Amino acid sequence: MASTNGKIEIAKEHANGSTLDMDHITTQLKKFGLSQPPTFSGVQLSPEYNPVDIYRSYIIEQIHEITGAEPAIINNAVAWTQDLKHGDLALPVPALRLKGKKPDQLAIEIAEKFNCPIVETPIADKTFVRFFFKPGPLASLTLDYVLKQKAQYGFNPLLGLEDPSKPDGKRKRMIVEYSSPNIAKEFHTGHLRSTIIGGFMVKLFSAAGWETISMNYLGDWGKQYGMLSQGFEKYGSEAELERDPIKHLNEVYVKINQDNAAEQKEAIELAKRKEGLEKIKNPPKPMKPKKGKENEAVPEIKWGEEQEKELEEVTGQLEKVQEELVAKPSIDEKARQFFKRMSDGDPEALKYWQKFRDLSIEAYKHMYARLNIAFDDYSGESTVQVENIEKAATVLHERGVSEDSKGAVIVDLTKHGAPTLGKTLVKKRDGTSLYLTRDIAANHERYEKYGFDHMIYVVASQQDLHLAQFFKILQLMGSPYSEVVAKCEHMSFGMVKDPNGQTMSTRKGTVVSLADSLDAAKEFMHNVMRENDEKYQQVENPEATADVLAISAIMVQDYSGKIINGYNFDMKRMTSFIGDTGPYLQYSHARVCSMARKANVPREAIETADFTLVTAKEGVELVRALAQWPDVFLNTYKTREPVTVLTYLFRMTHMLSSCYDAKDVGNRNAKTMSVMYAESEEKKAALMGLYEAARQVLGNGMRLLGLKPLERM
């Protein structure tokens, strides 16, 4: 099975690192008067992947001895802190659920009795006990982990096992369906979110040990391809199609839709008039008043013979116009007829469609490669088997889920305990199936093919109702459909809008091309790079480097808030080197790489350095932050919010930046964290080890987000 670019990169990097076994960890701990970390029944710690879990094990052991609380309860209670000034770990005493002593008194007792050679004397803070790790042991342990594990550091492959207690056991399988653009349409900034959020989910679950399948379910079927074929016959150019297929097809699609809108204008206006009159004739029932409030006065409705006559006239005019459009036939009617021919397998009708599909996929692959994404499975609405669609329709009918409605087939979910989900159409009057029917069949086909343990649909919040209806219908269909949908979830996300906050539309021609946006950002970054000619000359491939900077800028803006929140596509803000942006992260990584080249400390000297020599306050704080990375990854695995990783990386890089400026005021402003001015070779190796560990963690986080860390820029 193929892998995404992101998965390949992580796998290659992992080959350069090694998992720490318990013998090595125990040897390290013996230096501080400790032996192998204790283990507890019902407590899943991973000290071979997370140095903080070593500390957790000793804290659990001692709190259990002091209070008698169950180890599993203690483990759930001990938490990492968002701000290191509150401790490396903290225990909210009430979470121990012990009776007989007041929490603040028990906190004092724990702090007084606790004794561990790698932890400072705890601080009792009201009902909290705060644990601060001793700097020397923490630096020795943490930097050893990072430098030996390299790109594995922070990631825990046990999470994706069916039984995490059996490292050689079977891995769980995850499908992530994402991106899923409509073929022959411009890949615009609105498509970006699903693409990079889905790519992040694949990388996240891969790093957690799951077997992941990256799926692109193309919108490659429907009446719009009848519309597009007409547009190409009228406006298309084979030469332009070969030169830039997506851009040309997008232009054609916009033009034919403008023609269609003009042709349908009278019918649309009459339909609006009819709808308005019907609302006056049959107004909605007044809402029930809130408790303690009186009913609002209902305005008097004037409806008489004159209004009834107007409604009849408008209805008659609308029906006449619609009949004329069908008889003409209109662009819309031609599109419907063309799609019917496609559905019936007419080779002539399928000829253009197949060409548009093939050209679109090739163009999309180029864009995905720029974003460091590739897919294991290119499927689409057209690949769903007809027999499975018919089988789904039969099950819907036989189990009383669907019903006939004026020649069409619908599902009225209000009759099935879901009043907010309304009615949905599953088959048109002409017998053609809608994409909901295809989604039902596709869901079952995927399970038959892959036998997944979990599947995530990464789909915009605009489709919340469709996904809710889809999942509910699968539940109502019973076995095996209901069992499969129980393994599925919808990951909803907010929309990307244009710089003015307006929703983008391909049909209206208001989209912002992602390729154009990337190219503009790339040119901007290239110009910034040219400003420093000396550094520019050292960059091996300036064009490619500028492209990576542009992509980093765009992706980091997307990750800067919670997934459910939308944002405006703001090129000026995202390309800035000032503040928390993609270019700033790349600069931070490249700066450490530059330092390593200048210092030229051998790798062996770095890995065998005495890290207890890192004593400056700024260095100690950076070590504490690096120790948190595995917990940040675990928290991200639980929340599935890329902003969790991004927030950590910016906080850590700010600490890294503080190290460069660290001075000892009492010693003539000596640069306490400078590798080049270190007072001994031992201190130089220790400091370079710290900076190399910071670079490694920064790179690990960036790759998890789908960014390619730069070494020069």
Side-chain angles (χ1 to χ4, degrees):
M1 185 184 295
S3 293
T4 71
N5 290 351
K7 284 190 281 185
I8 290 171
E9 189 169 355
I10 286 174
K12 283 181 178 176
E13 289 281 345
H14 278 202
N16 296 327
S18 59
T19 304
L20 298 187
D21 59 35
M22 289 311 300
D23 288 341
H24 178 82
I25 292 168
T26 302
T27 300
Q28 291 290 93
L29 290 172
K30 282 179 179 177
K31 297 176 185 177
F32 309 108
L34 294 168
S35 57
Q36 185 169 320
T39 57
F40 313 93
S41 176
V43 176
Q44 187 66 47
L45 297 177
S46 302
E48 63 271 54
Y49 297 105
N50 185 352
V52 175
D53 274 0
I54 293 174
Y55 290 83
R56 281 192 177 92
S57 66
Y58 290 115
I59 289 170
I60 291 169
E61 181 182 52
Q62 292 218 18
I63 293 174
H64 172 63
E65 290 174 358
I66 294 166
T67 67
E70 288 299 317
I73 293 174
I74 300 169
N75 182 51
N76 290 333
V78 173
W80 64 293
T81 61
Q82 292 285 352
D83 193 324
L84 289 170
K85 71 182 181 183
H86 298 307
D88 295 285
L89 290 173
L91 169 69
V93 175
L96 296 179
R97 294 180 281 176
L98 296 173
K99 296 178 181 178
K101 275 192 180 178
K102 291 182 178 179
D104 54 348
Q105 292 176 347
L106 188 54
I108 293 169
E109 183 183 345
I110 292 170
E112 288 176 346
K113 293 183 178 179
F114 187 93
N115 182 32
C116 180
I118 59 174
V119 181
E120 305 281 8
T121 300
I123 295 172
D125 178 13
K126 297 180 181 176
T127 60
F128 281 82
V129 181
R130 304 198 179 279
F131 300 94
F132 292 82
F133 305 158
K134 288 184 178 179
L138 182 64
S140 293
L141 288 167
T142 300
L143 301 186
D144 184 57
Y145 268 79
V146 182
L147 296 171
K148 284 191 169 56
Q149 294 186 333
K150 300 178 183 175
Q152 290 185 59
Y153 178 66
F155 306 128
N156 188 344
L158 302 179
L159 298 171
L161 298 176
E162 289 185 351
D163 183 351
S165 68
K166 297 178 180 176
D168 297 326
K170 186 181 177 184
R171 293 194 296 160
K172 291 184 284 189
R173 181 175 287 175
M174 163 78 73
I175 294 178
V176 184
E177 182 210 288
Y178 62 105
S179 194
S180 305
N182 291 328
I183 64 166
K185 290 188 181 179
E186 184 99 59
F187 199 107
H188 59 74
T189 50
H191 291 123
L192 178 71
R193 293 220 80 189
S194 174
T195 304
I196 67 171
I197 290 168
F200 170 74
M201 290 302 148
V202 171
K203 292 174 178 69
L204 178 68
F205 282 91
S206 294
W210 286 67
E211 179 189 349
T212 53
I213 296 156
S214 188
M215 179 175 286
N216 198 337
Y217 184 65
L218 297 167
D220 62 355
W221 202 246
K223 190 179 78 174
Q224 66 266 39
Y225 299 107
M227 189 80 75
L228 184 63
S229 294
Q230 286 183 78
F232 193 77
E233 285 180 2
K234 186 174 181 181
Y235 297 111
S237 158
E238 289 289 347
E240 286 295 307
L241 184 67
E242 291 298 324
R243 191 181 66 81
D244 192 340
I246 298 298
K247 190 172 281 291
H248 183 56
L249 290 173
N250 190 69
E251 290 168 352
V252 164
Y253 187 73
V254 169
K255 286 178 182 177
I256 199 66
N257 269 287
Q258 289 170 344
D259 292 351
N260 182 54
E263 196 174 57
Q264 296 284 332
K265 186 178 179 182
E266 185 181 2
I268 290 168
E269 288 174 353
L270 286 167
K272 283 181 180 177
R273 278 184 65 194
K274 182 187 176 187
E275 184 183 3
L277 288 165
E278 286 175 337
K279 280 184 179 177
I280 296 170
K281 182 179 180 181
N282 302 301
K285 292 180 181 179
M287 292 177 67
K288 288 184 178 180
K290 291 181 179 178
K291 197 171 182 180
K293 300 277 185 179
E294 293 184 8
N295 276 331
E296 291 185 13
V298 179
E300 186 180 345
I301 297 165
K302 185 181 178 184
W303 189 267
E305 289 182 13
E306 187 179 336
Q307 287 76 24
E308 188 68 39
K309 185 179 178 183
E310 183 183 0
L311 177 59
E312 287 176 7
E313 287 176 356
V314 169
T315 301
Q317 289 171 15
L318 177 60
E319 288 174 353
K320 182 183 176 185
V321 169
Q322 288 174 333
E323 286 169 4
E324 288 172 352
L325 286 169
V326 171
K328 188 177 180 179
S330 66
I331 294 169
D332 189 71
E333 177 60 22
K334 282 181 182 177
R336 189 194 66 77
Q337 293 172 5
F338 192 94
F339 178 55
K340 184 69 169 67
R341 287 167 54 207
M342 283 172 60
S343 299
D344 293 340
D346 182 340
E348 192 62 30
L350 289 170
K351 183 179 70 174
Y352 272 137
W353 168 83
Q354 188 66 54
K355 186 171 186 177
F356 297 160
R357 187 182 195 275
D358 293 344
L359 287 169
S360 296
I361 290 174
E362 285 308 307
Y364 289 148
K365 281 181 177 178
H366 176 70
M367 180 57 67
Y368 291 134
R370 286 184 81 176
L371 297 172
N372 193 28
I373 284 171
F375 288 90
D376 301 313
D377 189 328
Y378 275 96
S379 63
E381 294 171 46
S382 66
T383 63
V384 182
Q385 298 298 307
V386 174
E387 56 265 32
N388 287 326
I389 296 172
E390 291 172 350
K391 181 182 176 183
T394 301
V395 172
L396 284 167
H397 174 71
E398 289 178 349
R399 298 187 181 173
V401 179
S402 65
E403 59 187 81
D404 292 334
S405 176
K406 299 178 182 177
V409 179
I410 68 164
V411 175
D412 185 352
L413 291 164
T414 65
K415 297 178 180 178
H416 297 278
T420 61
L421 297 184
K423 300 175 183 178
T424 183
L425 189 65
V426 293
K427 189 176 280 189
K428 290 183 177 180
R429 273 178 272 189
D430 64 5
T432 55
S433 62
L434 293 177
Y435 62 87
L436 178 61
T437 329
R438 291 180 175 273
D439 284 350
I440 291 167
N443 179 272
H444 184 66
E445 284 182 3
R446 290 176 196 177
Y447 189 72
E448 290 284 301
K449 182 177 180 180
Y450 291 112
F452 57 81
D453 296 282
H454 199 69
M455 177 162 62
I456 298 175
Y457 291 88
V458 183
V459 183
S461 56
Q462 283 183 327
Q463 297 290 320
D464 281 357
L465 177 61
H466 168 71
L467 267 293
Q469 290 173 334
F470 169 45
F471 282 15
K472 183 63 178 177
I473 289 169
L474 285 167
Q475 290 168 10
L476 293 170
M477 290 173 73
S479 183
Y481 300 93
S482 55
E483 284 95 336
V484 176
V485 76
K487 300 173 184 285
C488 301
E489 75 170 286
H490 170 210
M491 179 168 283
S492 180
F493 60 86
M495 300 298 293
V496 181
K497 297 185 177 180
D498 70 17
N500 299 316
Q502 300 299 310
T503 303
M504 299 180 219
S505 167
T506 304
R507 196 173 288 129
K508 295 177 183 176
T510 59
V511 300
V512 179
S513 162
L514 182 58
D516 290 347
S517 297
L518 283 174
D519 290 343
K522 174 184 172 182
E523 186 58 31
F524 177 85
M525 291 300 175
H526 204 169
N527 289 334
V528 171
M529 289 166 61
R530 287 189 184 103
E531 291 173 6
N532 189 327
D533 188 61
E534 184 182 347
K535 287 187 177 179
Y536 185 80
Q537 296 303 326
Q538 295 172 9
V539 177
E540 189 175 331
N541 189 336
E543 286 269 346
T545 299
D547 199 46
V548 171
L549 281 169
I551 290 161
S552 300
I554 288 172
M555 291 176 76
V556 165
Q557 173 166 304
D558 197 285
Y559 288 144
S560 293
K562 287 199 169 184
I563 287 172
I564 197 61
N565 298 330
Y567 68 91
N568 296 351
F569 193 82
D570 185 347
M571 182 67 72
K572 185 177 179 181
R573 179 179 172 275
M574 70 176 71
T575 52
S576 174
F577 281 81
I578 299 169
D580 292 344
T581 63
Y584 174 76
L585 283 183
Q586 291 288 8
Y587 167 76
S588 299
H589 189 272
R591 184 173 180 179
V592 182
C593 292
S594 175
M595 180 197 299
R597 288 191 296 269
K598 289 175 183 176
N600 197 26
V601 179
R603 183 77 189 191
E604 184 183 355
I606 289 173
E607 291 186 353
T608 58
D610 179 4
F611 297 119
T612 62
L613 295 173
V614 178
T615 55
K617 179 184 69 175
E618 294 82 359
V620 169
E621 290 300 296
L622 181 56
V623 169
R624 295 174 73 195
L626 299 179
Q628 282 193 322
W629 170 237
D631 277 348
V632 171
F633 172 74
L634 182 61
N635 192 39
T636 306
Y637 177 73
K638 292 173 182 175
T639 65
R640 287 168 309 168
E641 289 284 356
V643 71
T644 307
V645 174
L646 197 61
T647 302
Y648 167 81
L649 292 181
F650 283 128
R651 182 164 59 88
M652 189 270 282
T653 51
H654 294 159
M655 291 180 177
L656 176 61
S657 182
S658 296
C659 289
Y660 302 142
D661 302 322
K663 293 177 182 178
D664 184 353
V665 179
N667 185 21
R668 293 180 293 178
N669 288 328
K671 294 186 174 183
T672 55
M673 294 295 295
S674 169
V675 174
M676 303 308 291
Y677 294 101
E679 62 264 30
S680 66
E681 289 299 312
E682 291 79 7
K683 182 72 174 284
K684 183 177 182 179
L687 289 174
M688 196 61 240
L690 172 62
Y691 290 127
E692 171 58 20
R695 183 207 64 78
Q696 184 69 67
V697 171
L698 176 56
N700 290 0
M702 291 173 72
R703 278 184 287 272
L704 184 62
L705 293 173
L707 309 179
K708 181 182 178 181
L710 292 171
E711 295 186 5
R712 295 179 188 268
M713 56 181 279

